[in-house]
Structures are given as structure tokens and as C-alpha cells.
mmCIF file of all heavy atoms in Angstrom:
data_model
loop_
_atom_site.group_PDB
_atom_site.id
_atom_site.type_symbol
_atom_site.label_atom_id
_atom_site.label_comp_id
_atom_site.label_asym_id
_atom_site.label_seq_id
_atom_site.Cartn_x
_atom_site.Cartn_y
_atom_site.Cartn_z
ATOM 1 N N LYS A 1 -21.820 -2.532 6.461
ATOM 2 C CA LYS A 1 -21.558 -2.157 5.072
ATOM 3 C C LYS A 1 -21.296 -0.653 4.961
ATOM 4 O O LYS A 1 -20.413 -0.217 4.214
ATOM 5 C CB LYS A 1 -22.738 -2.550 4.182
ATOM 6 C CG LYS A 1 -22.863 -4.053 3.944
ATOM 7 C CD LYS A 1 -23.975 -4.353 2.969
ATOM 8 C CE LYS A 1 -24.076 -5.865 2.707
ATOM 9 N NZ LYS A 1 -25.174 -6.182 1.755
ATOM 10 N N THR A 2 -22.054 0.123 5.714
ATOM 11 C CA THR A 2 -21.859 1.569 5.698
ATOM 12 C C THR A 2 -20.519 1.940 6.314
ATOM 13 O O THR A 2 -19.799 2.811 5.807
ATOM 14 C CB THR A 2 -22.995 2.278 6.459
ATOM 15 O OG1 THR A 2 -24.247 1.941 5.855
ATOM 16 C CG2 THR A 2 -22.806 3.789 6.426
ATOM 17 N N LYS A 3 -20.184 1.286 7.413
ATOM 18 C CA LYS A 3 -18.889 1.524 8.045
ATOM 19 C C LYS A 3 -17.755 1.222 7.064
ATOM 20 O O LYS A 3 -16.793 1.980 6.947
ATOM 21 C CB LYS A 3 -18.736 0.653 9.294
ATOM 22 C CG LYS A 3 -19.659 0.993 10.445
ATOM 23 C CD LYS A 3 -19.431 0.014 11.590
ATOM 24 C CE LYS A 3 -20.453 0.161 12.696
ATOM 25 N NZ LYS A 3 -20.345 1.430 13.421
ATOM 26 N N LEU A 4 -17.892 0.079 6.370
ATOM 27 C CA LEU A 4 -16.871 -0.324 5.406
ATOM 28 C C LEU A 4 -16.762 0.691 4.276
ATOM 29 O O LEU A 4 -15.656 1.069 3.875
ATOM 30 C CB LEU A 4 -17.204 -1.709 4.836
ATOM 31 C CG LEU A 4 -16.255 -2.248 3.762
ATOM 32 C CD1 LEU A 4 -14.845 -2.388 4.328
ATOM 33 C CD2 LEU A 4 -16.759 -3.589 3.229
ATOM 34 N N ALA A 5 -17.919 1.156 3.778
ATOM 35 C CA ALA A 5 -17.929 2.131 2.689
ATOM 36 C C ALA A 5 -17.244 3.425 3.114
ATOM 37 O O ALA A 5 -16.449 4.003 2.358
ATOM 38 C CB ALA A 5 -19.366 2.412 2.255
ATOM 39 N N CYS A 6 -17.526 3.877 4.331
ATOM 40 C CA CYS A 6 -16.914 5.107 4.846
ATOM 41 C C CYS A 6 -15.398 4.957 4.962
ATOM 42 O O CYS A 6 -14.643 5.872 4.621
ATOM 43 C CB CYS A 6 -17.505 5.457 6.204
ATOM 44 S SG CYS A 6 -19.207 6.071 6.144
ATOM 45 N N ASN A 7 -14.960 3.796 5.426
ATOM 46 C CA ASN A 7 -13.518 3.559 5.569
ATOM 47 C C ASN A 7 -12.832 3.418 4.217
ATOM 48 O O ASN A 7 -11.676 3.826 4.062
ATOM 49 C CB ASN A 7 -13.276 2.312 6.421
ATOM 50 C CG ASN A 7 -13.394 2.592 7.907
ATOM 51 O OD1 ASN A 7 -12.557 3.267 8.496
ATOM 52 N ND2 ASN A 7 -14.450 2.095 8.523
ATOM 53 N N ILE A 8 -13.528 2.860 3.242
ATOM 54 C CA ILE A 8 -12.971 2.750 1.890
ATOM 55 C C ILE A 8 -12.778 4.145 1.295
ATOM 56 O O ILE A 8 -11.744 4.443 0.680
ATOM 57 C CB ILE A 8 -13.878 1.893 0.984
ATOM 58 C CG1 ILE A 8 -13.801 0.421 1.403
ATOM 59 C CG2 ILE A 8 -13.471 2.049 -0.490
ATOM 60 C CD1 ILE A 8 -14.746 -0.481 0.643
ATOM 61 N N ILE A 9 -13.787 5.020 1.482
ATOM 62 C CA ILE A 9 -13.685 6.388 0.984
ATOM 63 C C ILE A 9 -12.505 7.108 1.647
ATOM 64 O O ILE A 9 -11.717 7.790 0.983
ATOM 65 C CB ILE A 9 -14.993 7.162 1.245
ATOM 66 C CG1 ILE A 9 -16.123 6.576 0.393
ATOM 67 C CG2 ILE A 9 -14.809 8.655 0.944
ATOM 68 C CD1 ILE A 9 -17.491 7.150 0.711
ATOM 69 N N ALA A 10 -12.377 6.921 2.969
ATOM 70 C CA ALA A 10 -11.257 7.539 3.692
ATOM 71 C C ALA A 10 -9.924 7.028 3.170
ATOM 72 O O ALA A 10 -8.966 7.802 2.996
ATOM 73 C CB ALA A 10 -11.388 7.244 5.186
ATOM 74 N N THR A 11 -9.854 5.724 2.889
ATOM 75 C CA THR A 11 -8.626 5.110 2.376
ATOM 76 C C THR A 11 -8.250 5.687 1.010
ATOM 77 O O THR A 11 -7.079 5.995 0.754
ATOM 78 C CB THR A 11 -8.786 3.586 2.270
ATOM 79 O OG1 THR A 11 -9.071 3.039 3.566
ATOM 80 C CG2 THR A 11 -7.516 2.942 1.719
ATOM 81 N N ILE A 12 -9.248 5.849 0.146
ATOM 82 C CA ILE A 12 -9.003 6.400 -1.188
ATOM 83 C C ILE A 12 -8.463 7.825 -1.090
ATOM 84 O O ILE A 12 -7.496 8.199 -1.771
ATOM 85 C CB ILE A 12 -10.296 6.380 -2.036
ATOM 86 C CG1 ILE A 12 -10.691 4.935 -2.351
ATOM 87 C CG2 ILE A 12 -10.114 7.179 -3.328
ATOM 88 C CD1 ILE A 12 -12.041 4.797 -3.028
ATOM 89 N N ILE A 13 -9.076 8.618 -0.213
ATOM 90 C CA ILE A 13 -8.646 10.014 -0.052
ATOM 91 C C ILE A 13 -7.215 10.089 0.487
ATOM 92 O O ILE A 13 -6.366 10.809 -0.045
ATOM 93 C CB ILE A 13 -9.603 10.774 0.884
ATOM 94 C CG1 ILE A 13 -10.976 10.907 0.241
ATOM 95 C CG2 ILE A 13 -9.033 12.166 1.214
ATOM 96 C CD1 ILE A 13 -12.027 11.519 1.159
ATOM 97 N N VAL A 14 -6.947 9.337 1.554
ATOM 98 C CA VAL A 14 -5.618 9.366 2.171
ATOM 99 C C VAL A 14 -4.557 8.856 1.192
ATOM 100 O O VAL A 14 -3.462 9.424 1.098
ATOM 101 C CB VAL A 14 -5.600 8.527 3.466
ATOM 102 C CG1 VAL A 14 -4.178 8.416 4.019
ATOM 103 C CG2 VAL A 14 -6.513 9.155 4.516
ATOM 104 N N THR A 15 -4.872 7.805 0.466
ATOM 105 C CA THR A 15 -3.929 7.257 -0.520
ATOM 106 C C THR A 15 -3.636 8.275 -1.620
ATOM 107 O O THR A 15 -2.480 8.442 -2.034
ATOM 108 C CB THR A 15 -4.492 5.969 -1.145
ATOM 109 O OG1 THR A 15 -4.736 5.002 -0.125
ATOM 110 C CG2 THR A 15 -3.514 5.391 -2.163
ATOM 111 N N THR A 16 -4.675 8.963 -2.077
ATOM 112 C CA THR A 16 -4.507 9.984 -3.106
ATOM 113 C C THR A 16 -3.587 11.099 -2.620
ATOM 114 O O THR A 16 -2.682 11.543 -3.340
ATOM 115 C CB THR A 16 -5.865 10.585 -3.506
ATOM 116 O OG1 THR A 16 -6.718 9.548 -4.010
ATOM 117 C CG2 THR A 16 -5.692 11.654 -4.575
ATOM 118 N N VAL A 17 -3.810 11.544 -1.382
ATOM 119 C CA VAL A 17 -2.970 12.604 -0.805
ATOM 120 C C VAL A 17 -1.521 12.138 -0.697
ATOM 121 O O VAL A 17 -0.591 12.837 -1.105
ATOM 122 C CB VAL A 17 -3.495 13.027 0.586
ATOM 123 C CG1 VAL A 17 -2.504 13.968 1.269
ATOM 124 C CG2 VAL A 17 -4.856 13.700 0.457
ATOM 125 N N ALA A 18 -1.319 10.931 -0.158
ATOM 126 C CA ALA A 18 0.030 10.400 0.044
ATOM 127 C C ALA A 18 0.767 10.238 -1.288
ATOM 128 O O ALA A 18 1.937 10.629 -1.421
ATOM 129 C CB ALA A 18 -0.034 9.069 0.777
ATOM 130 N N MET A 19 0.079 9.669 -2.279
ATOM 131 C CA MET A 19 0.706 9.456 -3.573
ATOM 132 C C MET A 19 1.033 10.779 -4.270
ATOM 133 O O MET A 19 2.054 10.900 -4.953
ATOM 134 C CB MET A 19 -0.214 8.617 -4.474
ATOM 135 C CG MET A 19 -0.429 7.172 -4.008
ATOM 136 S SD MET A 19 1.101 6.197 -3.916
ATOM 137 C CE MET A 19 1.432 6.245 -2.150
ATOM 138 N N SER A 20 0.170 11.768 -4.080
ATOM 139 C CA SER A 20 0.428 13.071 -4.711
ATOM 140 C C SER A 20 1.675 13.724 -4.124
ATOM 141 O O SER A 20 2.437 14.382 -4.834
ATOM 142 C CB SER A 20 -0.783 13.994 -4.544
ATOM 143 O OG SER A 20 -0.950 14.394 -3.194
ATOM 144 N N ARG A 21 1.908 13.524 -2.823
ATOM 145 C CA ARG A 21 3.103 14.101 -2.191
ATOM 146 C C ARG A 21 4.380 13.446 -2.721
ATOM 147 O O ARG A 21 5.407 14.100 -2.898
ATOM 148 C CB ARG A 21 3.035 13.944 -0.664
ATOM 149 C CG ARG A 21 1.790 14.510 -0.007
ATOM 150 C CD ARG A 21 1.488 15.917 -0.446
ATOM 151 N NE ARG A 21 2.386 16.893 0.172
ATOM 152 C CZ ARG A 21 2.450 18.155 -0.179
ATOM 153 N NH1 ARG A 21 1.702 18.601 -1.180
ATOM 154 N NH2 ARG A 21 3.273 18.990 0.439
ATOM 155 N N LEU A 22 4.296 12.156 -2.994
ATOM 156 C CA LEU A 22 5.442 11.447 -3.574
ATOM 157 C C LEU A 22 5.647 11.869 -5.031
ATOM 158 O O LEU A 22 6.776 12.072 -5.475
ATOM 159 C CB LEU A 22 5.227 9.939 -3.491
ATOM 160 C CG LEU A 22 5.314 9.325 -2.085
ATOM 161 C CD1 LEU A 22 4.876 7.867 -2.116
ATOM 162 C CD2 LEU A 22 6.727 9.439 -1.529
ATOM 163 N N TYR A 23 4.554 11.986 -5.767
ATOM 164 C CA TYR A 23 4.630 12.368 -7.174
ATOM 165 C C TYR A 23 5.256 13.753 -7.317
ATOM 166 O O TYR A 23 6.069 14.000 -8.219
ATOM 167 C CB TYR A 23 3.235 12.354 -7.795
ATOM 168 C CG TYR A 23 3.227 12.583 -9.287
ATOM 169 C CD1 TYR A 23 3.318 11.507 -10.168
ATOM 170 C CD2 TYR A 23 3.131 13.871 -9.821
ATOM 171 C CE1 TYR A 23 3.307 11.723 -11.547
ATOM 172 C CE2 TYR A 23 3.125 14.093 -11.181
ATOM 173 C CZ TYR A 23 3.214 13.006 -12.036
ATOM 174 O OH TYR A 23 3.219 13.208 -13.395
ATOM 175 N N LEU A 24 4.885 14.671 -6.433
ATOM 176 C CA LEU A 24 5.416 16.031 -6.476
ATOM 177 C C LEU A 24 6.836 16.112 -5.933
ATOM 178 O O LEU A 24 7.464 17.172 -5.963
ATOM 179 C CB LEU A 24 4.500 16.977 -5.680
ATOM 180 C CG LEU A 24 3.107 17.192 -6.271
ATOM 181 C CD1 LEU A 24 2.202 17.902 -5.272
ATOM 182 C CD2 LEU A 24 3.182 17.970 -7.581
ATOM 183 N N ASN A 25 7.333 15.000 -5.418
ATOM 184 C CA ASN A 25 8.697 14.895 -4.906
ATOM 185 C C ASN A 25 8.977 15.889 -3.775
ATOM 186 O O ASN A 25 10.064 16.450 -3.664
ATOM 187 C CB ASN A 25 9.721 15.095 -6.026
ATOM 188 C CG ASN A 25 11.107 14.606 -5.623
ATOM 189 O OD1 ASN A 25 11.242 13.623 -4.902
ATOM 190 N ND2 ASN A 25 12.137 15.286 -6.097
ATOM 191 N N VAL A 26 7.976 16.083 -2.915
ATOM 192 C CA VAL A 26 8.163 16.954 -1.754
ATOM 193 C C VAL A 26 8.334 16.131 -0.476
ATOM 194 O O VAL A 26 8.519 16.686 0.600
ATOM 195 C CB VAL A 26 6.984 17.950 -1.593
ATOM 196 C CG1 VAL A 26 6.967 18.932 -2.734
ATOM 197 C CG2 VAL A 26 5.650 17.224 -1.499
ATOM 198 N N HIS A 27 8.259 14.794 -0.622
ATOM 199 C CA HIS A 27 8.466 13.902 0.513
ATOM 200 C C HIS A 27 9.143 12.609 0.061
ATOM 201 O O HIS A 27 9.023 12.198 -1.093
ATOM 202 C CB HIS A 27 7.130 13.528 1.171
ATOM 203 C CG HIS A 27 6.590 14.586 2.073
ATOM 204 N ND1 HIS A 27 7.195 14.938 3.264
ATOM 205 C CD2 HIS A 27 5.481 15.373 1.964
ATOM 206 C CE1 HIS A 27 6.486 15.895 3.841
ATOM 207 N NE2 HIS A 27 5.454 16.186 3.072
ATOM 208 N N TYR A 28 9.838 11.994 1.006
ATOM 209 C CA TYR A 28 10.344 10.639 0.814
ATOM 210 C C TYR A 28 9.252 9.655 1.227
ATOM 211 O O TYR A 28 8.342 10.002 1.984
ATOM 212 C CB TYR A 28 11.578 10.400 1.690
ATOM 213 C CG TYR A 28 12.741 11.311 1.415
ATOM 214 C CD1 TYR A 28 13.038 12.356 2.293
ATOM 215 C CD2 TYR A 28 13.553 11.132 0.304
ATOM 216 C CE1 TYR A 28 14.117 13.204 2.062
ATOM 217 C CE2 TYR A 28 14.637 11.973 0.064
ATOM 218 C CZ TYR A 28 14.908 13.006 0.949
ATOM 219 O OH TYR A 28 15.971 13.842 0.713
ATOM 220 N N ILE A 29 9.366 8.423 0.744
ATOM 221 C CA ILE A 29 8.386 7.406 1.114
ATOM 222 C C ILE A 29 8.407 7.164 2.624
ATOM 223 O O ILE A 29 7.367 6.880 3.229
ATOM 224 C CB ILE A 29 8.653 6.080 0.354
ATOM 225 C CG1 ILE A 29 7.582 5.028 0.700
ATOM 226 C CG2 ILE A 29 10.034 5.524 0.670
ATOM 227 C CD1 ILE A 29 6.179 5.409 0.338
ATOM 228 N N THR A 30 9.570 7.308 3.264
ATOM 229 C CA THR A 30 9.636 7.103 4.710
ATOM 230 C C THR A 30 8.940 8.236 5.474
ATOM 231 O O THR A 30 8.499 8.032 6.610
ATOM 232 C CB THR A 30 11.105 6.972 5.178
ATOM 233 O OG1 THR A 30 11.908 7.954 4.516
ATOM 234 C CG2 THR A 30 11.643 5.592 4.857
ATOM 235 N N ASP A 31 8.820 9.408 4.863
ATOM 236 C CA ASP A 31 8.016 10.478 5.468
ATOM 237 C C ASP A 31 6.548 10.072 5.484
ATOM 238 O O ASP A 31 5.822 10.328 6.449
ATOM 239 C CB ASP A 31 8.152 11.785 4.680
ATOM 240 C CG ASP A 31 9.570 12.324 4.673
ATOM 241 O OD1 ASP A 31 10.316 12.048 5.625
ATOM 242 O OD2 ASP A 31 9.928 13.010 3.703
ATOM 243 N N ILE A 32 6.119 9.451 4.389
ATOM 244 C CA ILE A 32 4.733 9.001 4.274
ATOM 245 C C ILE A 32 4.456 7.869 5.261
ATOM 246 O O ILE A 32 3.444 7.883 5.979
ATOM 247 C CB ILE A 32 4.438 8.509 2.837
ATOM 248 C CG1 ILE A 32 4.732 9.608 1.807
ATOM 249 C CG2 ILE A 32 3.000 8.016 2.732
ATOM 250 C CD1 ILE A 32 3.875 10.832 1.936
ATOM 251 N N LEU A 33 5.362 6.897 5.310
ATOM 252 C CA LEU A 33 5.191 5.763 6.221
ATOM 253 C C LEU A 33 5.198 6.232 7.678
ATOM 254 O O LEU A 33 4.414 5.750 8.503
ATOM 255 C CB LEU A 33 6.293 4.726 5.986
ATOM 256 C CG LEU A 33 6.291 4.048 4.611
ATOM 257 C CD1 LEU A 33 7.492 3.109 4.481
ATOM 258 C CD2 LEU A 33 4.992 3.284 4.394
#
């Protein structure tokens, strides 16, 4: 459960970073992928 919680937190952070780069239009989606 702790491992899962840690990975969920990491996923939220990484997703937030990736989406912010797309929102700011400084990257293409293929750059993110």
C-alpha cells in the first residue's frame, strides 16, 4: 500500500509537470511521449 501510494504521488507530480509544459505551449505532445 505504501509502495502504491508513493507511485501515485510520483504519477501526479509527473503528470502535472507534463501537462504544464503542454499548456505553456513549449513542447509538442510527442516531446512529452
Side-chain angles (χ1 to χ4, degrees):
K1 288 185 179 180
T2 301
K3 293 178 188 293
L4 177 61
C6 288
N7 279 290
I8 289 175
I9 293 172
T11 300
I12 292 173
I13 294 174
V14 173
T15 301
T16 300
V17 171
M19 293 300 101
S20 69
R21 305 311 285 170
L22 289 172
Y23 187 90
L24 293 168
N25 196 35
V26 293
H27 281 292
Y28 300 105
I29 182 61
T30 43
D31 297 333
I32 303 297
L33 296 176

